[in-house]
Amino acid sequence: MKLARLLLLLVAYWKNIFLLCLVLGFLHLTNATDGANETDRAALLAFKDRITDDPFEVLSSWNDSVHFCLWRGVICSARHQRVTTLNLQHQKLWGSMSPYIGNLSYLHQLVLDNNSFTGEIPQELGGLKRLRILWLRNNSLDGEIPTSLSNCSSLVEIQLSRNRLVGKIPREFSSLSNLRLIRAALNNLTGSIPPSFGNLSSLQILGFASNSLTGSIPNELGQLKRLEYIGISENKLSGTFPQTIFNLSVLTTIFAPLNQIQGTLPSYLGFTLPNLYYFAIADNQFTGTIPLSMSNMSNLQSLFIGGNKFTGSVPNLAELHKLNRLDISGNHLGSGDSNDLSFISTLTNASNLEELDLYDNNFGGELPESFGNLSTKLTGLLVSDNQLSGRIPNWIGNFVNLIDIDMRGNQFTGIIPIEVGKLRSIRILDLSHNHLSGNTPTFLGNLSLLTKLHLDDNKFYGEIHLLWDCAKHCKH
């Protein structure tokens, strides 16, 4: 009996302790709006007041029925019950950003991606000393990037892409010693890339593609030993590409097409960038030859150097096993010689090759038999505007995934091989401006997906047979 009574007393004791903890926890939450915590609550309500459309009613929970730490999109610290994260991405919210966000002094993450916020980014965000993540991508924000953000000394990531921001990239950001990522692509930024960005020793990703940046790429970026990604395409950058950047061994991506960059590629390129898998400098003004050392870039998956002024021959690419896209079009490669396309035989180990753009160069001779050993994943055979001759080879039937065949503007002779009729995925077939002959092949009518067919300026003769299956879709 005494043991049973003792057990009952212990149960009652721990029950009271449990109830006391619940009461204290409740009192902690109910009192959490006192003092500094009331500041957080008021800041959130001020944020809500600026929202003009909330189609998913994500902010319907933002009311007095529950503590603000339980509101949707809000995360608080367990100890202080202060807001540390405001995450409302992908909610289709309309409105502007309240400057009172700057009162959330414990905020670590502000994530408002993929909404429809308008107006300027509040300068008051510069008061968030603990802010580490700032994601405002894919909104309609305008005005300049606040220089006050340079006061957020804890910032690690700044994502501002796909907005309507104007003005210059703040040079003051060079003081953000913890910054690892800054992206502001697809805006209307002007001015140049600040040379002081060379001081961002932690920077790994730099992305300012699709703006209106001018000037040259700073040599100082070559000091960023941790830089993995540089994206500066579709700007108005000029001058030469800093050779120092080609020494950054951790680089995986150089994305700089559609600028006005000049100069040559260093001969050692393939030795100093062993981790590079995406290299795009198309549509610039590069000159010289393609470095022989590129044959060592075994991790390279995409190589876009078309639309420049490269000359000479294409080097051995046998070690580029991972290559899936190769664009060397629009240069001055080749010399009209029969061996110009000998490099094709070195691509037969690239088992994932899908895109091969060779058009608008000086390649001569016949299409080599080694072409037939390329990956059957190839979707395009683009060799137009060269000096190629001979017959269209029968091996063309190997490429069952071909979508686009463009051989116009060469000196091909003979008939169109019947194997072309087996390429049921073809949508574009351009054999114009050659010396092809024979009757117009009726088997082309079996290509049900064909939308463009160009056979003009050849030597076809005899009756022209209407390609009934193609007639409804093709542009003849």
Side-chain angles (χ1 to χ4, degrees):
M1 292 293 293
K2 290 183 179 181
L3 180 59
R5 185 176 180 182
L6 180 60
L7 288 173
L8 288 173
L9 289 173
L10 285 173
V11 169
Y13 172 78
W14 286 112
K15 183 177 181 181
N16 289 332
I17 292 294
F18 177 72
L19 290 173
L20 179 62
C21 289
L22 285 178
V23 170
L24 290 175
F26 176 76
L27 289 175
H28 182 64
L29 282 175
T30 54
N31 292 329
T33 55
D34 293 339
N37 301 77
E38 174 60 26
T39 302
D40 284 8
R41 179 178 177 277
L44 292 173
L45 291 176
F47 175 86
K48 179 181 179 180
D49 286 343
R50 291 288 190 100
I51 303 302
T52 57
D53 189 19
D54 179 11
F56 299 148
E57 298 184 350
V58 66
L59 303 183
S60 60
S61 67
W62 290 31
N63 55 60
D64 291 334
S65 64
V66 293
H67 188 267
F68 68 82
C69 287
L70 301 177
W71 292 352
R72 282 187 62 185
V74 177
I75 298 176
C76 292
S77 60
R79 181 179 179 184
H80 300 290
Q81 293 297 297
R82 302 296 301 274
V83 177
T84 58
T85 296
L86 180 58
N87 186 339
L88 293 168
Q89 61 181 336
H90 312 299
Q91 300 301 326
K92 296 187 177 180
L93 297 172
W94 286 75
S96 58
M97 292 181 62
S98 169
Y100 287 98
I101 295 178
N103 289 341
L104 299 172
S105 55
Y106 275 70
L107 197 64
H108 291 176
Q109 299 186 33
L110 178 59
V111 181
L112 302 176
D113 285 356
N114 296 302
N115 285 290
S116 296
F117 285 99
T118 59
E120 298 185 354
I121 301 172
Q123 288 279 351
E124 287 78 2
L125 293 187
L128 301 176
K129 304 295 186 181
R130 294 178 172 86
L131 190 65
R132 294 173 54 83
I133 304 295
L134 177 63
W135 288 8
L136 304 176
R137 292 173 297 189
N138 199 21
N139 281 283
S140 298
L141 297 166
D142 55 34
E144 299 186 0
I145 301 174
T147 57
S148 63
L149 290 176
S150 62
N151 296 323
C152 302
S153 56
S154 298
L155 267 174
V156 174
E157 296 187 11
I158 301 176
Q159 295 267 25
L160 305 175
S161 296
R162 294 183 180 273
N163 280 287
R164 300 172 182 172
L165 300 172
V166 298
K168 298 181 178 180
I169 303 168
R171 57 182 178 82
E172 291 84 355
F173 282 6
S174 60
S175 65
L176 298 173
S177 58
N178 296 305
L179 195 64
R180 293 202 296 261
L181 180 153
I182 180 168
R183 271 183 163 150
L186 291 156
N187 281 286
N188 300 305
L189 300 176
T190 55
S192 58
I193 301 173
S196 58
F197 271 30
N199 297 327
L200 296 172
S201 58
S202 297
L203 196 65
Q204 296 174 356
I205 297 176
L206 182 148
F208 291 108
S210 301
N211 281 285
S212 296
L213 300 178
T214 56
S216 57
I217 305 169
N219 283 310
E220 288 80 359
L221 296 186
Q223 302 171 15
L224 304 176
K225 302 303 182 183
R226 299 182 182 180
L227 192 64
E228 298 176 5
Y229 175 100
I230 178 168
I232 49 176
S233 66
E234 293 188 72
N235 281 287
K236 300 176 182 178
L237 297 169
S238 57
T240 59
F241 206 98
Q243 304 291 292
T244 53
I245 292 180
F246 292 131
N247 290 321
L248 299 176
S249 60
V250 297
L251 264 177
T252 62
T253 301
I254 296 177
F255 188 48
L258 293 164
N259 281 288
Q260 301 163 25
I261 305 170
Q262 304 172 357
T264 61
L265 296 179
S267 60
Y268 54 79
L269 180 66
F271 300 118
T272 56
L273 297 176
N275 297 301
L276 199 69
Y277 71 84
Y278 195 102
F279 187 34
I281 55 170
D283 297 304
N284 279 286
Q285 299 174 24
F286 284 93
T287 56
T289 59
I290 302 174
L292 294 174
S293 64
M294 291 193 75
S295 61
N296 294 292
M297 302 174 76
S298 57
N299 287 308
L300 199 62
Q301 298 178 21
S302 298
L303 176 60
F304 295 105
I305 59 174
N308 283 286
K309 300 176 182 179
F310 288 111
T311 57
S313 58
V314 180
N316 185 318
L317 303 176
E319 298 303 317
L320 276 57
H321 305 295
K322 299 179 181 179
L323 197 65
N324 56 42
R325 291 182 288 179
L326 174 62
D327 180 2
I328 56 175
S329 63
N331 282 288
H332 305 302
L333 297 166
S335 59
D337 188 78
S338 59
N339 293 320
D340 284 341
L341 294 178
S342 60
F343 71 92
I344 293 296
S345 63
T346 68
L347 285 171
T348 56
N349 290 327
S351 58
N352 292 313
L353 190 64
E354 297 179 9
E355 182 179 335
L356 179 59
D357 298 345
L358 307 178
Y359 62 88
D360 195 15
N361 277 290
N362 299 319
F363 296 130
E366 299 183 3
L367 292 176
E369 287 297 319
S370 55
F371 249 111
N373 297 322
L374 294 178
S375 167
T376 56
K377 296 179 181 179
L378 203 65
T379 60
L381 181 58
L382 309 178
V383 296
S384 62
D385 297 313
N386 280 286
Q387 301 176 41
L388 299 173
S389 58
R391 292 176 173 268
I392 298 176
N394 294 336
W395 50 247
I396 198 169
N398 296 345
F399 300 110
V400 293
N401 292 301
L402 275 179
I403 295 174
D404 186 357
I405 297 177
D406 189 355
M407 296 183 170
R408 72 180 185 273
N410 283 287
Q411 301 167 27
F412 289 113
T413 57
I415 63 172
I416 302 175
I418 193 172
E419 284 78 9
V420 172
K422 302 175 182 178
L423 303 176
R424 300 305 175 88
S425 297
I426 282 291
R427 290 174 172 80
I428 301 172
L429 178 60
D430 192 343
L431 303 176
S432 62
H433 303 282
N434 280 286
H435 304 302
L436 297 170
S437 58
N439 287 317
T440 306
T442 57
F443 58 74
L444 296 181
N446 297 326
L447 304 177
S448 59
L449 297 179
L450 198 62
T451 58
K452 292 183 180 180
L453 174 62
H454 297 283
L455 302 176
D456 49 297
D457 197 12
N458 278 288
K459 298 180 180 180
F460 295 113
Y461 57 84
E463 183 178 357
I464 299 176
H465 298 279
L466 183 60
L467 308 176
W468 289 106
D469 290 342
C470 174
K472 296 179 180 179
H473 311 289
C474 296
K475 296 180 180 179
H476 296 278

